[in-house]
Amino acid sequence: MKSYEVLIVGGGHGGAQTAIALRQAQIKGSIAIVSLETDPPYERPPLSKDYLKGEKGFERLLIRPIRFWGDRDISLLLGQRVVAVDPNTKTVTTEQGERINYGVLVWAAGGVPRSLTCEGSDLLGIHSLRNRADIDQLVSELPKVKRVVVIGGGYIGLEAASALTSLGKEVVVVEASDRVLARVAGEPLSRFYESRHRSHGVDIRLSNAVASIQGQDGRVSGVRLADGEFLTAQLIVVGIGIEPAVGPLLAAGALGENGVKVDSFCRTTLPEVFAIGDCALHINDFSGGEEIRLESVQNAVDMANVVAKTIAGKPEGYKVVPWFWSNQFGLKLQTVGLSRGYDSIVVRRNRSVDSLSMIYLKNGVVIALDCVNSVKDYVQGRGLVVARCERSVEVLADVSKSLKEIGLNEAND
Ligand code: FAD
């Protein structure tokens, strides 16, 4: 039986960074990453952006050059799914029936895209965007596609809409809520993005659910909406969120539900088993005591660093402020903090129509910012979130002052 001192399940952002950080911390023991995908660790964000548009080749997505892993004596066990964990014998079992022993297990398995469940969901031409194979398959079908329906107006759906529009496709976005980005952003940002997409020709249908997918000869021909309208489409992109990939851990007795519960050191309730990244349910320092999962590169990488430090005997709890980005139609969105639970929003607009910053407050405290093409506000506003500064709406809205000045002024009062 193979045996590793540290066995990492999942070769995405979190898994790769765990191995990298362990070697940086001079951990000499054996390390393996077992991953379902057949590619070495690569960056996922470009999948719905430059990679989909064909502007970035796959080699440029690699988190490290291929030789890095061998040079650092990190074994990549690719194309293998872990289906069971036995915390008593400290082994995992793969789908192929192989058992692998571990000293410490780091679960970094991310999530699985939610699928449609309506009639016609099994037709050809319906795509999720989670891994390289998803995009490659979608791109191979594009030459025969004139019109695409994107189901879901979250970040991934909107990024796909932007990329596919730039590739010359007609795109319709169908969103069940009354605004795009409803789960993650305040209304002014939703309206800003809605208007930007519409101005590029994207047809956005809000407050409308999908009733069924229609097909011809086994392939998608369009989408029937709940209000009866039929939207012709040769391809469908589904961006309706993910389910955390934690089945084997929960079956082994780890606590959790929508994810696996971890403490501030990313320890699950199973001995010597950590969980990180998209699948880790944790109380974030910036979530106001709420248990959450974060789906971002920052969270996966920072949790990986926390685990590596703990394994290296220098534990430091997870305290980093969350941040995220998204690129659509030349708009670079950068967010910092967590806006959930906000009770007021300040919109700062300068003269450029392409730029806007939104500041979220809760009980007068700055809890988050969404900055579009506004790196300065993002960088300076970050300090306000980290320091949990109290600022009035009027002060924050004053664009004649930078956020740095606003922070300093009131701190000196
Ligand atoms: P992942 O990177 O998903 O890696 C998990 C790996 O585990 C996968 O390779 C999976 O195949 C493997 N695996 C799953 N189950 C098993 C199993 N049982 N056995 C073995 N292997 C398994 N974040 C941002 O911050 N900014 C962005 O702009 C952004 N854009 C994105 C665009 C797209 C299209 C996608 C899909 C995600 C985007 N994200 C973005 C989110 C970000 O990529 C994720 O939050 C991040 O990849 C999470 O890292 P992770 O290590 O938790 O999981």
Side-chain angles (χ1 to χ4, degrees):
M1 193 192 313
K2 282 186 191 138
S3 181
Y4 298 92
E5 276 156 71
V6 181
L7 181 66
I8 300 162
V9 177
H13 282 274
Q17 180 60 27
T18 305
I20 293 167
L22 282 169
R23 288 298 185 231
Q24 281 169 346
Q26 308 302 323
I27 295 293
K28 302 273 186 263
S30 54
I31 301 175
I33 298 176
V34 49
S35 190
L36 188 50
E37 291 185 68
T38 49
D39 291 303
Y42 62 90
E43 293 175 23
R44 233 165 268 284
L47 293 180
S48 50
K49 308 176 182 76
D50 302 354
Y51 187 67
L52 175 54
K53 285 194 269 184
E55 291 175 356
K56 218 178 204 183
F58 182 71
E59 298 66 37
R60 289 178 58 205
L61 267 51
L62 292 175
I63 288 176
R64 288 291 186 274
I66 292 175
R67 66 171 186 284
F68 171 92
W69 308 103
D71 288 352
R72 303 294 186 291
D73 201 15
I74 296 165
S75 304
L76 296 182
L77 313 176
L78 302 177
Q80 301 191 48
R81 181 198 297 270
V82 170
V83 291
V85 176
D86 183 343
N88 298 316
T89 56
K90 295 177 95 177
T91 50
V92 304
T93 307
T94 68
E95 208 166 19
Q96 292 92 335
E98 187 182 1
R99 296 180 71 217
I100 308 172
N101 184 252
Y102 63 82
V104 172
L105 181 68
V106 182
W107 192 266
V112 181
R114 268 190 213 115
S115 309
L116 295 174
T117 50
C118 61
E119 181 197 328
S121 303
D122 54 350
L123 288 163
L124 294 175
I126 303 178
H127 300 272
S128 303
L129 308 182
R130 185 71 194 174
N131 54 44
R132 178 198 187 179
D134 293 338
I135 311 298
D136 289 350
Q137 179 60 36
L138 184 157
V139 168
S140 75
E141 294 176 21
L142 281 182
K144 290 189 180 144
V145 171
K146 187 164 174 264
R147 199 153 189 256
V148 180
V149 170
V150 175
I151 300 174
Y155 284 127
I156 288 182
L158 291 185
E159 286 182 354
S162 163
L164 291 165
T165 303
S166 75
L167 291 173
K169 307 300 169 193
E170 289 172 22
V171 180
V172 187
V173 174
V174 178
E175 166 57 50
S177 168
D178 61 356
R179 60 187 178 92
V180 296
L181 300 176
R183 199 175 58 86
V184 287
E187 176 145 11
L189 196 81
S190 300
R191 298 299 170 210
F192 182 80
Y193 273 90
E194 182 187 331
S195 138
R196 175 53 67 116
H197 275 257
R198 287 197 202 281
S199 74
H200 280 266
V202 178
D203 182 358
I204 297 190
R205 306 300 180 95
L206 300 171
S207 307
N208 220 323
V210 170
S212 65
I213 310 295
Q214 309 283 298
Q216 215 176 352
D217 303 327
R219 208 187 146 81
V220 161
S221 61
V223 174
R224 176 79 60 197
L225 298 180
D227 67 6
E229 190 184 359
F230 182 71
L231 303 171
T232 310
Q234 297 78 44
L235 191 134
I236 291 173
V237 172
V238 183
I240 54 173
I242 60 165
E243 298 292 346
V246 290
L249 270 195
L250 298 190
L255 290 183
E257 218 177 67
N258 171 32
V260 64
K261 276 180 194 270
V262 296
D263 65 12
S264 63
F265 298 96
C266 301
R267 292 179 297 216
T268 69
T269 51
L270 298 177
E272 309 298 342
V273 180
F274 295 86
I276 61 172
D278 284 10
C279 66
L281 189 61
H282 67 288
I283 296 179
N284 193 282
D285 241 31
F286 293 84
S287 67
E290 207 187 321
E291 224 171 27
I292 57 167
R293 281 190 309 103
L294 289 175
E295 296 168 14
S296 71
V297 170
Q298 168 275 318
N299 176 61
V301 167
D302 286 327
M303 283 188 157
N305 292 335
V306 164
V307 168
K309 283 196 180 123
T310 305
I311 294 173
K314 295 179 180 161
E316 257 178 51
Y318 181 44
K319 290 198 180 314
V320 190
V321 63
W323 56 268
F324 183 83
W325 77 94
S326 173
N327 296 337
Q328 301 161 39
F329 289 127
L331 302 175
K332 184 171 174 74
L333 170 71
Q334 292 169 291
T335 82
V336 59
L338 298 173
S339 61
R340 62 191 70 212
Y342 66 88
D343 51 32
S344 51
I345 297 178
V346 177
V347 180
R348 280 168 68 89
R349 287 204 84 140
N350 59 27
R351 263 175 256 138
S352 161
V353 289
D354 277 350
S355 161
L356 148 121
S357 298
M358 287 185 24
I359 305 175
Y360 298 84
L361 296 137
K362 187 175 180 183
N363 302 326
V365 176
V366 176
I367 55 168
L369 275 90
D370 289 336
C371 304
V372 182
N373 290 350
S374 184
V375 179
K376 198 169 150 199
D377 273 2
Y378 170 72
V379 171
Q380 298 182 350
R382 187 186 179 95
L384 300 179
V385 177
V386 172
R388 297 171 165 87
C389 288
E390 280 189 44
R391 296 292 181 271
S392 70
V393 168
E394 294 71 30
V395 166
L396 290 165
D398 180 1
V399 285
S400 72
K401 293 206 172 68
S402 70
L403 290 180
K404 187 174 173 193
E405 286 171 312
I406 287 172
L408 289 174
N409 284 348
E410 293 215 351
N412 291 338
D413 281 348

